[in-house]
Amino acid sequence: MKSTKGLSAQPHEAECFDLETPQPSKDRSLPDHTSSNALWLEARDKPRIRTNELPPISGENARVAARYGAISRGTERLVSAGEVPPSEFDRMRAPFQSGDFPFPVSYGYSVAGVVEDGPEGWIGSRVFCLHPHQDHFVVPVEALRPVPETVPLERAVLAANMETAVNVVWDGQIQPGDRVAIVGAGVVGLLAAFVAAAIPGTLTYLIDHDPSKADVAAALGLIFSGPESAPEDCDVVIHATGSEGGLVTAIDAAGFEGRIVEASWYGTRAATVPLGAAFHSRRLQIVSSQVGQVSPSRRARWSRSRRLDLALSLLEDPRLDVLISGETPFAALADTYLDILMDPKVLCHRIKY
C-alpha cells in the first residue's frame, strides 16, 4: 500500500529533468483557468467537491488539466474512515495534499493530464503527477513526469501503484529462477506479480480467496490458486491482503530461510503475527515495504523520480488494462466515492475529468 501507500504517502522528492522529445509551442487558445474543483473529505466518510482558487503561473510552475485519475482503494479507504494513526500524520501526507489528517483533507496521488500553461517547452506535454483528485492544479514542473508516447493517459494512472510494486519486488530481492508467491490480488499484488513474472526463470503464483481473480491472473500470464492450494517452499512471498489470514498464508508458503515481504498497511489496526510452530526453525525473514523510501538495495543510485519514470515505462503492456475495473466522471465522484471504497471487487477505479 502506499503510504501512503505509497506514495503511498510520502512526498516524492522533486528532481529536475530534460524532456527527451520535442514539445509543442505555447498555444494561447488553451483555457485560462483561475479556479479548480477538488475532492475533499470533510469528516469521516463525508466526501464533497470544493472549488479552489488557483495560484497564478510564475517561474517554474505549470498548470495541468487533469484527464484521468485513479483511486487507491486500500489507502483511501483508511483515510476516509479516519484510520491514519496520529503517529503517521506527517509520513502519510501525500504530495500536494491540502488540509491535515484526520479531516478536512484532500487526498490522493494519481493524476494523468496535459500541461495548459507554464514554462516554454512544457505546453501540451502529457504528464503524470502524484496529486490529489482535482481537475486543474498548479505545481512545480519538477513534480511532473513525462508519460511515454507508448503509454495512453488512461493507463498512466496505474503509475503510482506500479511504483509501489517495483519497490516491493526490490525489497523482495527476487532473483532469476526464484519460486515466488504473491498473496493478495489487489492492484499492488497484481502489479508486483506482473513485474516478478518478467524476471527470467521465475515461477510466480498469485494467491487470493476470490476465484474471480483467476481471470485477471490469466490475462497477465500468472498462475492462480486459492489459499487452500497455495504453493509451498517459496523463495520469496509478498503479502498484500492487509489481513491476518493472508499473512498466515504467506508464512506457510515460504520455504526454509525464505523472505516474506509485508506490503500491507493496517492503519490503526493491530495484526497478530503467527511466530510459533516452525517459524523459527525455518529461519524465515519478514521485511516491510513502503513506497515512501526507495528500497535500500537501490537507494544509493535511484531517486524517487527515476523510480517513477521506470514505473511509467512498465505500463506499455496493454494487458494491464485488465486492472481498470471501472470509471466514474469526476463530477459524480462525491456521490459514488464511498461505494467505490467499500466494494471488494474494485481493482483500479479510474476517474475521468
Side-chain angles (χ1 to χ4, degrees):
M1 72 178 117
K2 253 183 182 300
S3 148
T4 71
K5 233 171 175 177
L7 233 301
S8 250
Q10 292 291 318
H12 278 48
E13 73 181 6
E15 182 173 85
C16 294
F17 59 94
D18 295 324
L19 296 177
E20 297 178 357
T21 56
Q23 299 301 313
S25 59
K26 188 179 178 94
D27 182 355
R28 290 297 179 184
S29 67
L30 288 169
D32 186 18
H33 290 96
T34 59
S35 64
S36 68
N37 299 298
L39 182 75
W40 281 74
L41 289 162
E42 302 287 1
R44 179 187 174 94
D45 293 336
K46 297 292 183 183
R48 183 171 77 88
I49 300 293
R50 285 190 190 181
T51 299
N52 308 308
E53 292 299 315
L54 288 175
I57 303 297
S58 62
E60 292 299 302
N61 289 339
R63 186 179 70 237
V64 176
R67 293 289 184 262
Y68 297 95
I71 294 171
S72 183
R73 177 177 165 267
T75 301
E76 292 187 44
R77 186 175 69 245
L78 292 172
V79 172
S80 179
E83 294 184 8
V84 178
S87 64
E88 302 305 301
F89 280 4
D90 290 337
R91 282 187 287 264
M92 278 291 296
R93 283 194 70 88
F96 307 107
Q97 173 182 315
S98 295
D100 298 306
F101 295 123
F103 307 106
V105 64
S106 180
Y107 190 82
Y109 43 80
S110 181
V111 177
V114 177
V115 176
E116 286 187 329
D117 198 0
E120 184 177 356
W122 280 89
I123 310 304
S125 300
R126 302 179 334 128
V127 295
F128 177 84
C129 187
L130 298 159
H131 197 282
H133 309 307
Q134 187 169 328
D135 58 3
H136 296 84
F137 53 88
V138 175
V139 295
V141 293
E142 61 191 5
L144 303 176
R145 309 313 299 170
V147 176
E149 291 299 324
T150 51
V151 177
L153 288 180
E154 293 91 331
R155 194 184 309 139
V157 298
L158 289 167
N161 289 133
M162 177 63 89
E163 184 182 21
T164 299
V166 167
N167 217 51
V168 167
V169 170
W170 284 347
D171 283 332
Q173 301 178 8
I174 300 171
Q175 300 295 321
D178 277 352
R179 184 180 175 94
V180 181
I182 289 82
V183 183
V187 176
V188 170
L190 284 161
L191 287 171
F194 174 79
V195 174
I199 299 172
T202 56
L203 189 59
T204 304
Y205 297 87
L206 183 67
I207 304 165
D208 198 278
H209 65 85
D210 182 359
S212 69
K213 298 291 181 67
D215 292 338
V216 181
L220 297 178
L222 304 170
I223 304 169
F224 181 85
S225 75
E228 68 286 346
S229 56
E232 299 177 344
D233 200 31
C234 292
D235 300 284
V236 180
V237 183
I238 294 168
H239 176 235
T241 73
S243 69
E244 291 183 7
L247 183 55
V248 172
T249 298
I251 291 174
D252 289 344
F256 179 70
E257 295 189 342
R259 188 175 184 87
I260 301 157
V261 181
E262 177 55 272
S264 304
W265 186 58
Y266 296 84
T268 58
R269 292 177 295 131
T272 300
V273 183
L275 300 181
F279 180 87
H280 282 281
S281 63
R282 290 161 61 202
R283 296 175 54 84
L284 301 179
Q285 301 177 48
I286 300 179
V287 299
S288 65
S289 182
Q290 205 276 339
V291 75
Q293 299 294 331
V294 175
S295 175
S297 64
R298 299 292 190 279
R299 194 174 303 166
R301 299 167 303 282
W302 284 74
S303 66
R304 295 185 180 117
S305 296
R306 182 185 176 191
R307 184 182 61 183
L308 184 52
D309 287 341
L310 171 63
L312 282 162
S313 73
L314 294 175
L315 296 176
E316 293 182 347
D317 195 325
R319 292 181 298 167
L320 293 171
D321 289 336
V322 73
L323 299 185
I324 307 298
S325 57
E327 182 176 279
T328 296
F330 178 68
L333 188 58
D335 295 329
T336 59
Y337 188 66
L338 296 183
D339 290 337
I340 294 167
L341 297 186
M342 298 307 295
D343 185 354
K345 299 291 186 181
V346 168
L347 291 174
C348 176
H349 193 91
R350 190 164 58 204
I351 303 165
K352 185 174 183 179
Y353 290 92

